[in-house]
């Protein structure tokens, strides 16, 4: 359902004989309420003008398809003076609304009192501070039951008595603005409880038999969690809930009296119920009506009532607590939602994702925790006056232009979201998100990533030519003998102990490929060939050859930017880095050296790995593209024929999804971000040789604003030809998915340059670093790549998530790998994506803390459960099921062209070997016996 409150939406404050309420008086005071919006519409004088637009509002309900509508009756409209006689115009107004709801089959849930006490009662008696009010409230309720009871099955006596009592009569923050301190606040609450009980008994005794309805009270609550999990803090959290929700819930649902924590802490401040009153109040609710959200949480909850603990918006935990505390009552959520900025119009993505979170938590409470929740009400149907915050925020599903005359309702994106949710009655599994069975093709690359391999060039003891004497008598140490040396021997790859360890760890994974980056700054410290680190080059040669020896293909990146100097030689970093065109030529010479030195062992090259567009100027990106293209053509012309390898660039490519899936504006923003994040470097290489048109058009537009002056360079026709097509495959790194919107909502997460609002779906799984786990984003990305750049071979060259190092079971990463690979399988089998390989990031926690499949503790590598899970997927080549056809793949051996002749002629070689051995043996015997005969003859 959906809800609203009379003062927030009705308007018509002087129409139809309505009397003044305390909110009318409060809003007309010269000083605006604290936190209210700048001068504009005054309070709820007009608000959404629902008084004059009953059919408009009901049409909104029809469009949503709700089962119920919660609204409140204006006490001052029905009884202008707070007491008889009633106002016929007021009775007719609500009669029309109820009749229209009945025509649509929408269940009315009616609140008798939602904060708008008639001013006449405040003036005459002092409002809820007076013991007279409970009787007057009973009289008002009787009028409502008699006139409307035949059409109403669910009644709420009042809304959020905590706010009325504490801020109306204690702090004076809200109407009637009485600053009576805690004592008057507790007294007002005492009278509110008595009033509620009188109305419940009135209905129970006189109206229930004929009208067969139910009556309760809408209680609001926050949720609180301990700062630290200590027994003292947990008790303080209990006390916080007692002082807000328990203040009213315990007398009604348990024993007719206040919580013990209140009685022991407040002593004489808290009024006392007589035993008769306790019995009278106990049990005066037919269900538990709960209000939770932006009215109280982080707003009207007094800070001292948190008892130094942490406020939270966990609805599921609150529902579980209510269920446990109040003996498993039937719960009706009668108000729940969050808010968006007052400037937000149509695309209220933030509101949608809070709504999604709250409804999901409600469903979890029902399904997993056994909580008996039978209804949910979103707040609110339409934008209105938001109490102490005025018009500075919006909470409606429908947008209202408060400055307009006709106050038309405009559906926001949240209307479409809620409408579909009601149709589906929750969140049924989407077919496209269900896992599939199947396997990847033969030759699929299963890899692991390490940004930079662990390099340890410490010489082995066998390379030391010195001679030592062991002093066994005194020092017990080896003593070097000066001037005496043994013969030297050549260096061998086995001398590097670090290589053997890393190779053994990789073998344990069963991966077929290993991706790492070279360190340009260490190989050529001066940026040119005048100084070469031959020891490091030899180490890389050994590492690559050892990988091949165990049948693992090295995937080597020439350059990967890092924090310090972008991993460029210092001489290049100091003079402009990629801004300087000399860096382009230096990169080409460096690449030539690497191809020459390592090309016999490396057949899978990456020119540049994950160049970060976030930290790249347009000039630097321009030069970077030219450098890549020149290196690709260098390999293609001078090395490909002899080395028979392949080469491309690897781009970081996280998916971007429109925050409001129904919004054209949000879709345009998402498309723009994809072009700036991926297309900037991809389009020139894989597309038309030039930058995306979206980029040029956007920069042309914003360059007209004085604030910006960004110019995207132009390629010459020759440069376009050079860059276009400079790839052998499309390599991408993918980690997460982000949501973007067009409406500015949160200044901290708003990008003024691209005019994009970053949005967070708080229902998504998140890692400790707050990276969202969104497996389907990978599949959407792969489909986008194919739609943009055709049927290009694709490698997911890095995909991984951080996790808490204290998590023993590594559950998040296991889930992540399982589901992302399954989405990759869908892309391959269902979308016909030419997917050639998948690599997990990262190898170990030593080089990539919190991301590794191996933990690294006390100089020891330990496999995590996610490693074993990944290995199982590799062994199965995917997710085979009972009906998956068996795929017979020829055994693959690391590339060795010279070995092919021998591998394909094993039988012939065995026969030749046999003949050779037999010949040797025959010759031996002939020689042996010939000599014996000769000696005997002599």
């Amino acid at each position: 359902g959906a809800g609203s409150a009379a003062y927030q939406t009705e308007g018509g404050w002087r129409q139809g004989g309505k009397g003044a309420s305390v909110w009318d008086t409060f809003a007309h005071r010269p000083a605006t309420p604290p936190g209210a919006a700048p001068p504009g519409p005054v309070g709820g004088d007009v608000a959404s003008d629902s008084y004059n637009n009953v059919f408009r509002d009901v049409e909104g309900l029809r469009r949503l398809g709700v089962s119920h509508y919660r609204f409140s009756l204006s006490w001052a409209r029905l009884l202008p003076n707070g007491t008889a006689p009633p106002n016929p115009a007021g009775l007719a107004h609500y009669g029309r609304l109820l009749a229209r709801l009945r025509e649509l089959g929408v269940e009315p849930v009616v609140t008798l009192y939602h904060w708008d006490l008639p001013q006449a009662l405040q003036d005459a008696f002092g409002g809820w501070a007076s013991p007279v009010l409970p009787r007057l409230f009973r009289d008002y309720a009787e009028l409502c039951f008699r006139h409307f009871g035949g059409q109403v099955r669910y009644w709420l006596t009042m809304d959020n008595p905590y706010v009325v009592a504490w801020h109306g009569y204690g702090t004076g923050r809200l109407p009637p603005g009485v600053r009576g301190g805690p004592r008057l606040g507790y007294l007002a609450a005492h009278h509110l409880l008595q009033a509620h009980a009188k109305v419940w008994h009135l209905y129970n005794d006189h109206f229930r038999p004929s009208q067969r309805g139910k009556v309760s009270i809408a209680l609001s609550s926050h949720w609180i969690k301990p700062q630290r999990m200590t027994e003292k803090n947990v008790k303080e959290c209990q006390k916080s809930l007692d002082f807000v929700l328990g203040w009213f819930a315990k007398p009604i649902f348990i024993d007719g009296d206040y919580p013990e924590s209140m009685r022991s802490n407040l002593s004489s401040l808290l009024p006392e119920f007589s035993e008769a009153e306790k019995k009278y109040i106990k049990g005066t609710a037919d269900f538990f009506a709960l209000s939770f959200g932006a009215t109280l949480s982080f707003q009207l909850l007094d800070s001292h009532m948190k008892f130094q603990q942490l406020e939270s918006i966990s609805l599921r935990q609150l529902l579980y607590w209510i269920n446990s505390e109040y003996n498993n009552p039937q719960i009706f959520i009668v108000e729940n939602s969050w808010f968006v900025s007052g400037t937000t119009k149509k695309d209220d993505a933030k509101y949608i994702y809070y709504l999604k979170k709250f409804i999901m938590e409600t469903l979890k409470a029902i399904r997993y925790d056994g909580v008996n929740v039978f209804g949910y009400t979103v707040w609110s149907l339409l934008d209105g006056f938001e109490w102490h915050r005025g018009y500075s925020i919006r909470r409606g599903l429908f947008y209202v232009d408060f400055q307009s005359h006709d106050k038309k309702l405009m559906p926001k994106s949240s209307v479409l979201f809620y409408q579909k949710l009601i149709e589906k009655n929750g969140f049924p599994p989407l077919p496209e998100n269900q896992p599939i069975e199947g396997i990847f093709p033969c030759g699929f690359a299963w890899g692991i990533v390490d940004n930079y391999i662990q390099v340890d060039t410490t010489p082995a003891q066998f390379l030391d030519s010195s001679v030592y004497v062991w002093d066994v008598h005194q020092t017990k140490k080896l003593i070097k003998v000066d001037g005496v040396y043994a013969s030297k021997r050549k260096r061998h790859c086995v001398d590097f102990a670090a290589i053997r360890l890393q190779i053994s760890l990789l073998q344990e994974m069963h991966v077929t490929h290993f991706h790492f980056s070279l360190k340009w700054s260490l190989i050529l410290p001066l940026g040119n060939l005048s100084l070469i680190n031959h020891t490091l080059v030899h180490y890389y040669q050994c590492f690559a050859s050892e990988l091949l020896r165990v049948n693992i293909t090295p995937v080597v990146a020439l350059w990967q930017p890092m924090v310090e100097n972008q991993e460029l030689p210092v001489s290049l970093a100091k003079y402009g880095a990629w801004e300087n065109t000399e860096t382009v030529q230096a990169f080409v010479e460096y690449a030539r050296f690497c191809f020459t030195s390592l090309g016999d062992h490396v057949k899978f090259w990456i020119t540049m790995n994950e160049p970060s567009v976030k930290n790249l100027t347009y000039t630097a990106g321009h030069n970077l593209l030219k450098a890549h293209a020149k290196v690709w053509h260098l390999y293609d012309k001078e090395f490909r024929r002899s080395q028979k390898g392949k080469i491309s660039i690897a781009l970081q490519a996280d998916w971007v999804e429109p925050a409001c899936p129904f919004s054209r504006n949000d879709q345009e923003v998402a498309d723009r971000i994809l072009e700036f994040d991926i297309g900037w470097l991809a389009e020139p290489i894989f597309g038309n040789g030039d930058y995306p048109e979206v980029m040029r058009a956007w920069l042309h537009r914003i360059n007209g604003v004085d604030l910006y002056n960004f110019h995207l360079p132009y390629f010459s026709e020759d440069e376009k030809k050079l860059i276009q097509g400079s790839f052998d495959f499309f390599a991408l790194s993918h980690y997460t998915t982000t949501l973007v919107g067009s409406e500015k909502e949160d200044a901290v997460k708003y990008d003024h340059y691209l005019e994009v609002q970053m949005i967070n779906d708080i229902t998504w799984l998140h890692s400790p670093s707050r990276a969202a786990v969104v497996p389907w984003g990978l599949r959407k990305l792969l489909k986008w790549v194919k739609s943009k750049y055709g049927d290009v071979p694709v490698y997911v060259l890095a995909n991984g998530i951080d996790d808490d190092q204290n998590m023993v079971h590594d559950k998040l990463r296991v889930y992540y790998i399982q589901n992302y690979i399954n989405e990759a399988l869908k892309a391959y089998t269902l979308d016909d994506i030419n997917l050639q390989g998948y690599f997990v990031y990262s190898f170990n926690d030593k080089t990539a803390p919190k991301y590794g499949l191996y933990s690294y503790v006390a100089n020891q590598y330990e496999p995590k459960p996610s490693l074993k899970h990944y290995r199982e997927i590799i062994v199965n080549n995917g997710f085979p099921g009972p009906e998956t056809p068996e795929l017979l793949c020829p055994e693959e051996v690391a590339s060795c062209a010279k070995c092919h002749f021998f591998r394909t002629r094993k039988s012939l070689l065995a026969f030749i070997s046999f003949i050779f051995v037999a010949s040797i043996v025959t010759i031996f015997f002939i020689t042996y016996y010939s000599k014996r005969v000769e000696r005997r003859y002599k």
Side-chain angles (χ1 to χ4, degrees):
S4 67
Y7 185 75
Q8 289 186 283
T9 61
E10 272 189 6
W13 78 292
R14 283 180 169 172
Q15 284 182 260
K18 177 185 174 294
S21 73
V22 292
W23 266 99
D24 291 321
T25 305
F26 194 77
H28 288 112
R29 296 189 314 178
T32 56
V42 177
D45 287 4
V46 179
S48 319
D49 201 23
S50 289
Y51 180 74
N52 296 303
N53 290 280
V54 169
F55 292 100
R56 176 204 66 180
D57 292 359
V58 175
E59 177 59 24
L61 294 168
R62 186 196 63 77
R63 180 167 182 169
L64 285 169
V66 295
S67 59
H68 68 271
Y69 177 46
R70 179 194 170 192
F71 64 94
S72 72
L73 305 175
S74 170
W75 189 347
R77 190 175 295 284
L78 291 171
L79 296 172
N81 296 315
T83 58
N87 174 20
L91 293 171
H93 168 71
Y94 294 116
R96 284 193 300 272
L97 175 57
L98 287 167
R100 184 67 181 133
L101 292 175
R102 185 171 67 251
E103 289 174 14
L104 287 179
V106 174
E107 186 84 59
V109 178
V110 181
T111 308
L112 293 171
Y113 168 62
H114 200 126
W115 305 7
D116 48 352
L117 182 75
Q119 183 63 42
L121 298 183
Q122 183 63 36
D123 294 340
F125 304 105
W128 291 107
S130 168
V132 176
L133 260 288
R135 177 180 59 79
L136 298 178
F137 185 59
R138 179 196 178 282
D139 294 342
Y140 161 59
E142 184 174 4
L143 171 73
C144 297
F145 293 155
R146 290 193 186 279
H147 276 272
F148 310 124
Q151 302 172 72
V152 179
R153 287 198 308 149
Y154 292 95
W155 292 96
L156 299 172
T157 56
M158 57 186 69
D159 182 88
N160 204 340
Y162 164 84
V163 168
V164 175
W166 191 253
H167 290 302
Y169 295 87
T171 68
R173 190 176 173 188
L174 297 180
V178 180
R179 297 180 182 177
R183 185 180 297 278
L184 192 61
Y186 291 124
L187 181 62
H190 202 69
H191 295 150
L192 285 164
L193 277 165
Q194 290 172 329
H196 159 76
K198 279 182 179 293
V199 171
W200 187 88
H201 282 286
L202 168 69
Y203 190 86
N204 194 57
D205 295 342
H206 300 286
F207 294 96
R208 193 188 301 275
S210 60
Q211 295 180 2
R212 302 182 183 279
K214 295 183 177 182
V215 179
S216 189
I217 179 173
L219 300 180
S220 188
S221 184
H222 61 305
W223 179 249
I224 199 89
K225 61 183 182 181
Q227 283 209 25
R228 293 189 308 278
M229 284 301 291
T230 65
E231 186 177 351
K232 179 179 182 297
N233 285 349
V234 170
K235 287 181 178 178
E236 293 297 283
C237 288
Q238 176 73 23
K239 191 188 298 183
S240 175
L241 291 167
D242 282 345
F243 269 64
V244 179
L245 178 58
W247 185 3
F248 300 93
K250 184 172 176 287
I252 294 170
F253 290 94
I254 300 297
D255 59 5
D257 203 0
Y258 297 115
E260 182 56 37
S261 59
M262 293 185 74
R263 301 216 67 86
S264 59
N265 279 271
L266 298 174
S267 60
S268 61
L269 283 177
L270 199 63
E272 291 191 9
F273 291 116
S274 66
E275 290 303 316
E277 285 177 319
K278 289 178 186 177
K279 291 179 180 177
Y280 190 72
I281 292 171
K282 178 185 174 182
T284 55
D286 301 322
F287 54 90
F288 197 113
L290 174 66
S291 169
F292 181 78
T295 302
L296 182 67
S297 295
F298 295 95
Q299 282 297 315
L300 292 174
L301 176 66
D302 240 28
S303 58
H304 81 274
M305 289 189 179
K306 298 177 188 178
F307 295 95
Q308 299 180 327
Q309 305 308 309
L310 301 174
E311 197 172 356
S312 168
I313 55 169
S314 177
L315 176 56
R316 180 182 177 185
Q317 289 180 296
L318 175 61
L319 289 169
Y320 185 83
W321 185 84
I322 291 171
N323 187 66
S324 303
E325 193 79 3
Y326 301 115
N327 302 321
N328 191 27
Q330 284 190 312
I331 300 174
F332 190 174
I333 298 171
V334 294
E335 176 184 342
N336 177 240
S337 76
W338 208 240
F339 63 90
V340 293
S341 164
T343 60
T344 299
K345 292 185 178 179
K346 184 179 179 183
D347 297 327
D348 54 344
K350 174 185 170 185
Y351 186 92
I352 287 175
Y353 290 108
Y354 272 96
L355 201 58
K356 182 181 175 185
K357 168 188 166 66
F358 289 136
I359 298 174
M360 275 192 170
E361 289 196 348
T362 302
L363 183 58
K364 289 176 183 176
I366 296 168
R367 292 287 297 276
Y368 301 141
D369 306 331
V371 180
N372 189 357
V373 182
F374 71 91
Y376 177 89
T377 312
V378 69
W379 201 268
S380 63
L381 173 63
L382 66 168
D383 291 334
F385 175 73
E386 289 300 333
W387 308 117
H388 64 296
R389 302 175 80 174
Y391 295 97
S392 65
I393 65 168
R394 292 177 181 269
R395 295 185 67 192
L397 294 167
F398 287 90
Y399 173 81
V400 176
D401 181 357
F402 297 111
Q403 305 297 335
S404 69
H405 175 71
D406 56 5
K407 304 288 190 298
K408 285 184 178 178
L409 296 190
M410 184 177 78
K412 302 179 190 177
S413 293
S414 54
V415 165
L416 296 170
F417 168 79
Y418 196 46
Q419 184 184 57
K420 290 184 179 297
L421 189 144
I422 291 170
E423 284 177 9
K424 297 174 181 176
N425 197 31
F427 305 94
L430 297 174
E432 61 267 29
N433 290 341
Q434 299 308 297
I436 66 167
E437 295 177 344
I439 55 178
F440 290 92
C442 291
F444 190 78
W446 292 104
I448 191 74
V449 186
D450 205 353
N451 287 338
Y452 297 101
I453 57 174
Q454 180 187 342
V455 175
D456 183 0
T457 56
T458 305
Q461 64 187 40
F462 307 109
L463 296 176
D464 187 354
S465 59
S466 301
V467 175
Y468 298 83
V469 173
W470 188 7
D471 183 1
V472 296
H473 299 295
Q474 297 181 8
T475 64
K476 310 291 185 183
K477 295 180 179 179
L478 291 172
I479 301 173
K480 185 177 180 180
V481 180
D482 294 332
V484 180
Y485 299 96
S487 59
K488 291 186 177 181
R489 70 165 178 81
K490 291 182 179 180
R491 290 176 178 268
H492 296 291
C493 289
V494 292
D495 294 327
F496 297 120
I499 291 179
R500 294 199 302 274
L501 174 59
Q502 292 179 79
I503 297 295
S504 66
L505 295 175
L506 289 168
Q507 283 183 282
E508 184 70 19
M509 290 186 184
H510 293 190
V511 292
T512 62
H513 290 64
F514 179 54
H515 173 35
F516 63 94
S517 300
L518 304 177
K519 288 203 169 189
W520 184 4
S521 62
L522 297 183
I523 294 174
L524 302 180
L526 301 180
N528 55 48
L529 299 179
S530 63
L531 179 62
I532 301 170
N533 187 337
H534 289 289
T535 304
L536 180 58
V537 172
H538 179 60
Y539 187 92
Y540 284 134
Q541 289 170 338
C542 287
F543 197 96
S545 65
E546 288 298 295
L547 285 172
L548 291 173
R549 188 181 62 80
V550 296
N551 217 26
I552 297 175
T553 300
V555 180
V556 180
L558 295 170
W559 174 71
Q560 176 168 342
M562 296 298 280
V563 176
E564 188 175 357
N565 294 327
Q566 299 182 56
E567 195 41 56
L568 294 170
V570 175
S571 59
L572 298 176
K574 279 171 58 177
Y575 294 101
W578 288 107
E579 300 264 343
N580 190 339
T581 54
E582 291 186 8
T583 304
V584 175
Q585 192 54 40
F587 185 64
V588 174
E589 292 308 311
Y590 161 64
R592 184 190 301 276
F593 173 76
C594 292
F595 295 153
T596 304
S597 304
L598 302 171
D600 288 341
H601 307 293
V602 179
K603 311 300 180 189
F604 197 141
W605 289 100
I606 301 295
T607 56
M608 300 159 176
N609 193 51
E610 297 185 26
S612 175
V613 296
K614 304 293 184 188
N615 304 315
L616 207 60
T617 65
Y618 292 128
T619 302
H622 201 68
N623 289 332
L624 190 145
L625 282 165
K626 289 191 283 187
H628 155 76
K630 288 186 175 183
V631 167
W632 186 88
H633 283 284
L634 168 69
Y635 189 84
D636 191 53
K637 292 175 183 176
E638 299 184 24
F639 296 94
R640 190 188 298 275
R641 180 172 295 179
S642 59
Q643 296 182 359
K644 295 181 171 49
K646 54 188 175 184
I647 183 168
S648 197
I649 188 172
L651 304 176
Q652 180 162 341
D654 287 334
W655 181 242
V656 180
E657 183 79 1
C660 295
F662 323 105
S663 165
R664 183 179 299 175
N665 291 337
D666 284 10
Q667 185 62 61
E668 287 178 2
V669 169
D671 292 341
R672 182 160 68 244
I673 300 302
L674 285 170
E675 294 294 0
F676 271 83
D677 283 2
I678 306 172
W680 176 7
L681 300 180
E683 185 64 31
I685 298 170
F686 300 93
N688 62 12
D690 201 356
Y691 296 114
E693 185 56 38
V694 169
M695 284 186 73
R696 288 215 183 273
W698 184 259
L699 292 174
H700 178 73
R701 176 192 148 187
I702 67 169
N703 280 336
V705 183
D706 293 338
L707 184 63
Y708 300 110
N709 188 21
F710 297 107
H711 294 287
L712 197 59
Y714 286 87
F715 293 114
S716 68
E717 289 304 314
D718 287 342
E719 287 173 335
K720 289 181 183 178
K721 291 177 182 176
L722 177 80
I723 296 169
Q724 185 180 20
S726 56
F727 68 91
D728 294 335
F729 50 87
F730 195 115
L732 60 90
S733 300
H734 175 83
Y735 302 99
T736 189
T737 291
T738 55
L739 294 170
V740 295
S742 56
E743 298 262 11
K744 184 178 179 181
E745 184 63 43
D746 180 354
V748 175
K749 295 182 178 180
Y750 187 78
D751 185 334
H752 290 272
Y753 171 49
L754 293 176
E755 295 182 11
V756 56
Q757 178 70 61
M758 301 299 173
I759 302 288
N760 183 29
D761 185 342
I762 49 182
T763 67
W764 283 350
L765 272 176
H766 286 81
S767 73
S769 70
R770 302 306 299 159
V773 180
V774 193
W776 51 258
L778 174 58
R779 183 181 176 190
K780 286 197 171 188
L781 172 68
L782 294 172
K783 290 169 73 173
W784 181 84
V785 169
K786 182 177 180 179
S787 70
K788 289 279 292 182
Y789 308 118
D791 192 27
V792 58
V794 179
Y795 287 87
V796 178
L797 217 52
N799 179 237
I801 194 77
D802 65 294
D803 205 352
D804 191 337
Q805 289 177 311
N806 298 322
M807 289 293 289
V808 178
H809 299 297
D810 197 26
K811 288 182 178 178
L812 180 62
R813 187 173 291 104
V814 169
Y815 175 87
Y816 184 97
I817 291 173
Q818 169 83 14
N819 287 278
Y820 272 83
I821 296 178
N822 199 266
E823 290 296 322
L825 180 64
K826 291 177 191 175
Y828 168 70
T829 58
L830 304 179
D831 307 326
D832 202 25
I833 306 296
N834 188 4
L835 188 62
Q836 302 279 312
Y838 171 90
F839 292 61
V840 167
Y841 181 85
S842 164
F843 182 17
N844 62 74
D845 282 343
K846 183 177 183 181
T847 52
K850 299 184 180 182
Y851 282 85
L853 298 193
Y854 280 102
S855 62
Y856 184 76
V857 182
N859 295 322
Q860 293 290 323
Y861 292 95
E862 290 293 333
K864 299 179 183 178
S866 52
L867 183 150
K868 298 171 184 176
H869 190 70
Y870 183 42
R871 181 174 60 202
E872 183 180 338
I873 295 172
I874 294 172
V875 170
N876 292 324
N877 200 29
F879 306 94
E883 298 180 4
T884 303
E886 187 176 359
L887 185 66
L888 298 174
C889 297
E891 184 179 350
E892 294 193 11
V893 182
S895 59
C896 172
K898 298 174 183 177
C899 304
H900 180 72
F901 174 86
F902 299 102
R903 284 204 306 268
T904 57
R905 293 168 174 81
K906 290 180 180 177
S907 300
L908 178 62
L909 290 171
F911 177 71
I912 293 172
S913 300
F914 172 75
I915 297 297
F916 177 74
V917 171
S919 300
I920 295 296
V921 171
T922 302
I923 293 170
F924 170 76
F925 279 113
I926 290 172
T927 305
Y928 174 74
Y929 283 107
S930 296
K931 287 184 177 180
R932 284 190 62 183
V933 169
E934 191 176 322
R935 279 200 300 269
R936 189 179 300 169
Y937 175 76
K938 287 180 178 180

